[in-house]
Amino acid sequence: MALLEIKNIKKTFEDLEVLKNISIEVNEGDVLSIIGPSGSGKSTLLRCATMLERMDSGELIYLGEHAAWNNEYGNSVYAKKTDLKRIQGYFGLVFQNFNLFPHYSVLKNLMDAPIHVQKRDKNEVKKECMELLRRMGLEDKADAYPCQLSGGQQQRVSIARALAMNPKLLFFDEPTSALDPELTGEILKVIKELANDHMTMVIVTHEMSFARDVSNRVIFMENGYIIEEGSPDEVITNPKNPRTKEFLSNFTG
C-alpha cells in the first residue's frame, strides 16, 4: 500500500494556477526528489501534501485514509478535525528556515510534541530524543538554545525534532537553501543516512548531485506541471524532455 497518494491536485492563488492536475504516489522506502526552477510549484505541492495549504481540488490519501477528496462540484473537501490530526501524525516536515522554538532548549524542542501531542511517557521520550541527538552528533547541545547553534546544527535539530514523532514519511522543503555551502554537506549527509535506514522521504531540492545519489525517483516540475518523472538516471543523467535538459544544463557535478 502506498504511504501517500496525491491525485489530480489543483491549486490557484488569485489568478495564478500554481498546481495543474498533479498526481504522485509515494511507497514505503521511497526517496522522491522534486526538482525544477523557482516558481514551478514544488513548495506549494509540499504545502498541499502536508495540509499547510488547502487544495482547490484533488485527493490526498495517507496509508489508505482520505485527508481530502472532491465533492460533487469537483472541489476539495477535508476530513473532520480529529481524523486530520491523526493523519498528520503519519508525516513530519523539515522547513528550510528551521522553525525551532527559540525559548526552548534543544532537548525541549524535541520532547515537546511527543509528550503533549502524542501523550507519551516523558522518560521514554527523553531517552529516544537523546538517542536522536546522538545520531545527529548533537548530544552535547541538549541544553543549548537555538541561537547558540550554527545553521547546520539548527537544521539537524529540526530533523531530529521531526523524527521524534516517529513519522512514516518525512518531507523536506529545500532543507539546505538557508545554509552556506560548507554547512550544506552536513545536512545532506544526515539525509543520506536516513535514506540508508530506509526512511521514506519527499525532498524538494536544488542539489542535483544529491538528488541523483540519494533518490530512487525524481520528478521535474515546471509551471505547475510534472514535466518528467523516473529514476535519477532517467531524469537527471539522461533526461528526454528538452526543458529538463535545458534546466539541468545549468548544473554541473
Side-chain angles (χ1 to χ4, degrees):
M1 179 175 66
L3 289 189
L4 169 63
E5 294 169 82
I6 289 172
K7 296 183 179 178
N8 309 113
I9 285 190
K10 292 182 181 176
K11 176 67 185 174
T12 301
F13 292 108
E14 294 176 354
D15 298 333
L16 182 65
E17 200 177 2
V18 181
L19 297 177
K20 305 167 184 175
N21 214 29
I22 297 268
S23 296
I24 291 173
E25 194 170 289
V26 181
N27 295 305
E28 197 165 356
D30 274 353
V31 179
L32 171 65
S33 286
I34 303 173
I35 63 171
S38 297
S40 58
K42 307 183 300 294
S43 288
T44 303
L45 174 59
L46 224 62
R47 290 179 67 80
C48 286
T50 54
M51 294 179 261
L52 291 173
E53 209 68 74
R54 287 181 80 88
M55 313 175 300
D56 297 329
S57 67
E59 292 178 73
L60 188 57
I61 307 162
Y62 280 93
L63 280 73
E65 292 185 55
H66 270 85
W69 58 90
N70 285 335
N71 62 15
E72 71 251 51
Y73 307 109
N75 300 322
S76 285
V77 177
Y78 282 77
K80 59 179 190 280
K81 252 185 180 168
T82 49
D83 292 338
L84 284 183
K85 198 170 180 185
R86 187 186 63 257
I87 291 168
Q88 283 167 334
Y90 295 147
F91 62 81
L93 176 58
V94 178
F95 298 90
Q96 49 185 285
N97 50 358
F98 325 134
N99 281 26
L100 298 171
F101 295 116
H103 54 295
Y104 284 0
S105 70
V106 164
L107 185 58
K108 191 165 163 44
N109 262 287
L110 266 63
M111 290 177 63
D112 193 58
I115 290 170
H116 294 111
V117 178
Q118 296 179 330
K119 312 293 184 201
R120 289 166 55 203
D121 176 71
K122 189 175 178 178
N123 292 328
E124 180 194 313
V125 169
K126 184 174 182 178
K127 194 175 160 189
E128 281 184 26
C129 289
M130 284 305 295
E131 173 57 23
L132 281 169
L133 289 177
R134 189 194 63 73
R135 275 179 66 190
M136 299 289 161
L138 292 170
E139 58 198 317
D140 60 332
K141 301 292 185 188
D143 298 323
Y145 286 83
C147 65
Q148 298 171 305
L149 305 179
S150 71
Q153 288 170 330
Q154 287 186 60
Q155 190 60 295
R156 278 184 279 158
V157 172
S158 65
I159 294 170
R161 182 179 63 176
L163 290 169
M165 299 290 280
N166 294 319
K168 305 269 188 206
L169 171 65
L170 262 188
F171 291 95
F172 291 87
D173 187 8
E174 298 188 14
T176 59
S177 68
L179 302 175
D180 64 45
E182 201 173 325
L183 298 174
T184 293
E186 67 183 66
I187 298 308
L188 300 183
K189 182 170 172 277
V190 168
I191 298 173
K192 275 184 183 172
E193 284 166 4
L194 291 173
N196 292 337
D197 291 340
H198 309 293
M199 183 76 208
T200 309
M201 294 182 280
V202 176
I203 307 163
V204 169
T205 184
H206 286 299
E207 303 284 339
M208 293 307 134
S209 56
F210 166 73
R212 186 184 60 212
D213 294 345
V214 84
S215 320
N216 66 319
R217 285 170 54 223
V218 178
I219 282 171
F220 173 69
M221 285 183 70
E222 184 171 60
N223 295 329
Y225 290 106
I226 292 175
I227 304 291
E228 198 160 349
E229 181 175 1
S231 69
D233 202 43
E234 290 165 330
V235 178
I236 295 177
T237 312
N238 302 295
K240 292 178 180 60
N241 188 287
R243 183 61 191 103
T244 318
K245 284 181 184 173
E246 185 192 350
F247 173 76
L248 289 166
S249 70
N250 296 314
F251 295 91
T252 54

